[in-house]
């Protein structure tokens, strides 16, 4: 039986950093589900398609061959390395629009489940503990104060704080208020506010939960 660790939370709360470290530590596969929404958004933008166009977006999501390689460090879309291209600000915005479309979510959730049912995974996103793997062994809701998230993202991309703040707010609002699989904290998820915590402290808190939840019959190295 594969083990699933689900890490959900808003943008720039530190999910990728922590999920990647946990996966390396436990020998699990790291899956960035947001990269899949970004890949579909990138494809749409290259095809000059409107990311709100339900029909076309669903077709792209179904047709997209998205693979994560090198422990999740590289994202391939139809065989092409799009690791950097999917991080562009306009792709972030388009991804949050694409992610509101039910048909797109169905297609990508299916891909995520296929990976998680065969491998021990640490999967991060918005709906992993609520929709993709409601029976995940460990669920974490990783949060951070808005100012802290803006500060981190601005440092990461070396961008203008005002603009980043506005983009983050817009995306948060869309992720939380959409009808299909909105970002919500599950009652059985560990809530962690990473503001003022070091990466080591966040990692340790999650590892404690992993050790407590995962026992007989489900082994990890
Ligand atoms: O985590 P991220 O910023 O790379 O995600 C990009 C967009 O995809 C974001 O606006 C939310 C959406 N997303 C989602 O709806 N469900 C997921 N499981 C992961 C991401």
């Amino acid at each position: 039986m594969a083990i699933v660790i689900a890490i959900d939370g808003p943008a720039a709360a530190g999910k990728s950093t922590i999920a990647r470290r946990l996966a390396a530590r436990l020998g699990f596969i790291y899956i960035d589900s947001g990269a899949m929404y970004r890949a579909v958004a990138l494809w749409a933008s290259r095809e000059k398609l409107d990311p709100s166009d339900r029909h076309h977006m669903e077709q792209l999501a179904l047709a997209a061959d998205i693979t994560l390689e090198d422990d999740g460090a590289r994202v391939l879309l139809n065989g092409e390395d799009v690791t950097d291209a999917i991080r562009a600000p306009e792709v972030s915005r388009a991804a949050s629009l694409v992610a509101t479309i039910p048909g797109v979510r169905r297609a990508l959730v299916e891909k995520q489940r296929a990976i998680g049912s065969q491998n021990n995974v640490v999967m991060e996103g918005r709906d992993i503990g609520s929709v993709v793997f409601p029976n995940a062994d460990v669920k974490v809701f990783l949060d951070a104060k808005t100012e802290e998230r803006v500060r981190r993202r601005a440092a990461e991309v070396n961008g203008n704080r005002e603009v980043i703040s506005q983009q983050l707010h817009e995306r948060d609002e869309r992720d939380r208020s959409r009808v299909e699989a909105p970002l919500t904290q599950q009652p059985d998820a560990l809530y962690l506010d990473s503001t003022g915590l070091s990466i080591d402290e966040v990692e340790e808190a999650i590892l404690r939960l992993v050790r407590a939840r995962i026992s007989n019959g489900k082994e990890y190295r």
Side-chain angles (χ1 to χ4, degrees):
M1 259 293 250
I3 298 169
V4 176
I5 299 177
I7 302 188
D8 291 303
K15 299 189 299 295
S16 302
T17 307
I18 205 69
R20 212 183 279 275
R21 279 183 51 153
L22 277 173
R25 177 101 178 239
L26 298 168
F28 287 16
I29 290 179
Y30 161 65
I31 304 290
D32 172 5
S33 66
M36 299 186 175
Y37 292 91
R38 287 172 179 271
V40 173
L42 176 69
W43 197 4
S45 114
R46 288 179 171 176
E47 300 292 328
K48 307 256 180 304
L49 291 169
D50 176 358
S52 304
D53 176 338
R54 290 178 168 231
H55 175 66
H56 280 117
M57 291 310 108
E58 181 174 353
Q59 283 188 329
L60 291 190
L62 285 167
D65 174 18
I66 303 167
T67 48
L68 306 172
E69 298 199 341
D70 291 350
D71 298 327
R74 291 196 314 132
V75 183
L76 303 192
L77 169 65
N78 302 327
E80 179 196 342
D81 189 332
V82 294
T83 311
D84 295 327
I86 60 168
R87 300 292 155 195
E90 60 275 16
V91 176
S92 302
R93 184 173 179 278
S96 78
L97 286 166
V98 159
T100 64
I101 300 173
V104 169
R105 303 203 67 86
R106 268 197 302 278
L108 297 187
V109 165
E110 196 171 311
K111 294 182 202 285
Q112 292 151 15
R113 285 186 181 144
I115 305 170
S117 57
Q118 287 170 18
N119 306 281
N120 292 337
V121 293
V122 181
M123 196 175 291
E124 59 140 313
R126 305 292 188 288
D127 63 339
I128 309 305
S130 57
V131 175
V132 185
F133 290 108
N135 297 320
D137 302 270
V138 172
K139 295 183 190 179
V140 176
F141 190 93
L142 189 62
D143 204 355
K145 296 222 165 26
T146 308
E147 314 84 75
E148 175 67 8
R149 293 192 290 119
V150 171
R151 193 190 64 73
R152 288 179 191 168
R153 187 47 58 89
E156 211 173 270
V157 300
N158 199 16
N160 177 295
R161 244 182 223 222
E162 282 286 297
V163 176
I164 287 168
S165 170
Q166 198 201 331
Q167 289 168 343
L168 212 66
H169 274 102
E170 189 200 333
R171 226 143 63 79
D172 275 356
E173 186 50 32
R174 214 175 355 248
D175 292 345
R176 288 181 195 275
S177 66
R178 67 176 175 232
V179 176
E180 189 84 4
L183 172 66
T184 49
Q185 188 201 332
Q186 290 302 102
D188 56 348
L190 169 73
Y191 178 86
L192 271 179
D193 183 337
S194 72
T195 318
L197 292 181
S198 69
I199 297 171
D200 284 343
E201 286 169 324
V202 175
E203 185 179 8
E204 203 34 58
I206 300 175
L207 278 174
R208 269 199 299 276
L209 184 66
V210 172
R211 290 187 200 108
R213 292 269 170 88
I214 298 171
S215 56
N216 313 335
K218 289 196 168 188
E219 303 281 330
Y220 67 95
R221 71 172 163 89

